[in-house]
Amino acid sequence: MTDKSLTILVVEDEPIIRMDLALGFADLGYNVLEAEDAATALRVIDGGDTVDVLVTDIDMPGDMNGVALASQVRRRSDSCRILIMSGGTRPASHVMPEHSPFLAKPLAAEDVIAALGRMP
């Protein structure tokens, strides 16, 4: 993936992990938005910011986890690429939104960019 004009939304409740990923994407030249939970992420998306890539953790506080957030984003946009990450158990494939790969933490921004390059 070489299109540096893409905007990546990082959704992660752990501030250090979120900051590390956001800084990694920014260092690679991407535009970065951040959210600490699913509700904030949906406000960002619904607020008019163009989000080309959603990178979300599964386990977050609030009423919606990362898999549910990914499903909501997929309903809103067919073009947004979605990657779901977790340091815990990998979710069953039937609960994952279509074309939304899973990445195990710990990971770096380069790991996400490599995964995006493998997506259709």
Side-chain angles (χ1 to χ4, degrees):
M1 168 190 251
T2 58
D3 184 357
K4 301 292 178 142
S5 68
L6 294 177
T7 297
I8 300 172
L9 174 58
V10 178
V11 186
E12 168 64 61
D13 62 315
E14 294 292 334
I16 299 295
I17 296 171
R18 186 175 65 245
M19 181 183 69
D20 185 51
L21 282 174
L23 288 173
F25 292 132
D27 286 348
L28 292 170
Y30 294 93
N31 302 312
V32 183
L33 301 170
E34 299 178 47
E36 66 276 0
D37 57 32
T40 304
L42 289 175
R43 282 195 299 276
V44 168
I45 291 167
D46 292 342
D49 285 308
T50 299
V51 174
D52 302 298
V53 179
L54 171 72
V55 179
T56 184
D57 188 23
I58 291 176
D59 297 317
M60 294 182 290
D63 296 334
M64 187 181 303
N65 70 19
V67 174
L69 170 62
S71 294
Q72 287 289 323
V73 171
R74 177 61 67 231
R75 283 188 204 104
R76 287 168 163 81
S77 171
D78 287 335
S79 63
C80 183
R81 296 178 187 176
I82 299 170
L83 291 105
I84 299 172
M85 61 184 176
S86 179
T89 306
R90 180 185 181 130
S93 59
H94 71 276
V95 300
M96 298 281 285
E98 189 174 4
H99 305 299
S100 301
F102 173 81
L103 298 174
K105 291 196 278 183
L107 53 89
E110 293 84 1
D111 300 322
V112 175
I113 299 304
L116 286 171
R118 294 188 297 271
M119 291 176 74

